[in-house]
Amino acid sequence: MGGFQGHLFPGLSIFFYGLYHARLISKALICNRPVQYPPHRPWSQGRWARLRQIHYVGLVKILSSFILVAQELHSVQGQFVLISKIFHQRSFIYDKQWQHLTFYATFFLSGCVDVVSQNVLPQRAPALEQGAQALSMFLILTLMVSHVEDAEGVELYSHILFIQVLFLLLLVGIAELWAPNSLRFWAMKALLYMIAGSWMIQIGFMLFKPISGHKWMDDDKNDILFVTTFFCWHVISLAMLMIWIYGFSFWWYHYFADAQIR
């Protein structure tokens, strides 16, 4: 994505989506029930009953996509068009920005599918939601492959690692279509979403706001080697975070929730 904010905000969105999946998988393991949402229930009576029964995941995706699009358009200098007509020549311009908008459009479409499935249809359609997620991963992966054509050095290696995570997410998303309630796939998806989000944020810091204050050098082999090292640290740290989430959820449901029931 373009600039520091163009990496920060999408990265946060993807990371928190991974945290949400980590909470779902922890609850499914502890409560010994399918990881999918329960079927859509009929509206109950009461003033706020309908709001309590709405699933907000899709709405958050849609809101996030609008915020990301607004941030992208705000960063564009000049008139944002697809084709320029200067000196009687027609050529595509703002290629990166159009890729970014297409990237955000996948969030929007996935959110729309989630809203329809979870809040509109009489019975939830998990296969439809997972199919939309797999399609989104395929589109994002396709965009990222061409996104790094003019990259080199630290930027190239960091984005290659990001593409690897997206490829694994695509494989997991496709496999979920045949095993929608597999806890292994959901755990892998939660971890990969968190890795993708945190690594996108890390790319923003490395390229635009290095924490050390010194710019990463493309011709320095040590800097390029440490890109991979930092990525491995991300994977280890987020795996430990998932274990902590499971431990906290176990304590919450077995002690705090039981105490409230009693």
Side-chain angles (χ1 to χ4, degrees):
M1 305 300 104
F4 175 72
Q5 293 182 346
H7 288 79
L8 176 64
F9 295 137
L12 286 174
S13 300
I14 298 174
F15 178 77
F16 283 119
Y17 189 59
L19 281 180
Y20 170 74
H21 278 78
R23 186 189 70 85
L24 284 182
I25 187 67
S26 298
K27 187 174 182 180
L29 288 171
I30 295 169
C31 300
N32 193 23
R33 70 180 191 184
V35 70
Q36 293 283 1
Y37 294 105
H40 185 74
R41 296 170 297 178
W43 301 121
S44 60
Q45 301 297 323
R47 184 176 181 180
W48 304 104
R50 177 169 297 189
L51 289 178
R52 288 197 301 267
Q53 293 181 346
I54 291 178
H55 294 294
Y56 293 98
V57 179
L59 297 176
V60 172
K61 285 184 182 180
I62 294 174
L63 178 61
S64 299
S65 64
F66 279 119
I67 295 175
L68 294 173
V69 168
Q71 183 269 333
E72 185 69 32
L73 295 178
H74 179 72
S75 63
V76 174
Q77 302 294 331
Q79 186 179 6
F80 186 64
V81 295
L82 179 62
I83 301 176
S84 66
K85 300 179 181 179
I86 302 177
F87 302 117
H88 304 286
Q89 294 181 355
R90 298 175 182 268
S91 59
F92 292 103
I93 58 176
Y94 296 117
D95 53 341
K96 296 292 186 181
Q97 286 76 11
W98 281 108
Q99 283 189 335
H100 300 165
L101 292 179
T102 307
F103 183 96
Y104 304 147
T106 61
F107 288 175
F108 176 78
L109 293 177
S110 178
C112 290
V113 172
D114 288 348
V115 169
V116 172
S117 174
Q118 298 170 10
N119 301 308
V120 178
L121 297 180
Q123 185 175 2
R124 185 169 174 263
L128 182 63
E129 299 174 32
Q130 292 167 349
Q133 290 184 24
L135 178 61
S136 298
M137 285 299 106
F138 172 75
L139 295 177
I140 294 173
L141 180 61
T142 305
L143 290 171
M144 290 304 303
V145 169
S146 63
H147 195 72
V148 297
E149 284 188 356
D150 56 349
E152 59 182 3
V154 173
E155 182 180 3
L156 177 62
Y157 279 90
S158 60
H159 280 81
I160 287 176
L161 293 171
F162 182 67
I163 290 173
Q164 291 178 357
V165 178
L166 294 179
F167 178 71
L168 293 176
L169 266 173
L170 176 61
L171 293 181
V172 172
I174 294 174
E176 269 191 323
L177 296 176
W178 283 270
N181 285 313
S182 174
L183 296 179
R184 296 183 181 89
F185 288 151
W186 275 76
M188 291 174 60
K189 184 168 68 173
L191 178 61
L192 290 172
Y193 269 122
M194 288 193 294
I195 293 174
S198 66
W199 187 244
M200 181 177 285
I201 298 172
Q202 178 69 41
I203 292 175
F205 277 104
M206 287 191 299
L207 298 181
F208 304 101
K209 289 188 177 181
I211 298 177
S212 63
H214 299 282
K215 182 180 179 181
W216 289 65
M217 305 303 296
D218 294 333
D219 56 353
D220 191 338
K221 292 184 178 180
N222 290 328
D223 286 359
I224 294 177
L225 289 175
F226 265 98
V227 170
T228 307
T229 303
F230 285 156
F231 178 80
C232 294
W233 290 354
H234 271 264
V235 176
I236 296 172
S237 301
L238 292 172
M240 295 176 63
L241 176 61
M242 283 197 63
I243 296 174
W244 182 87
I245 291 174
Y246 175 79
F248 179 80
S249 300
F250 183 87
W251 171 81
W252 178 272
Y253 287 108
H254 281 78
Y255 295 97
F256 186 78
D258 289 346
Q260 281 189 334
I261 294 175
R262 290 195 295 266

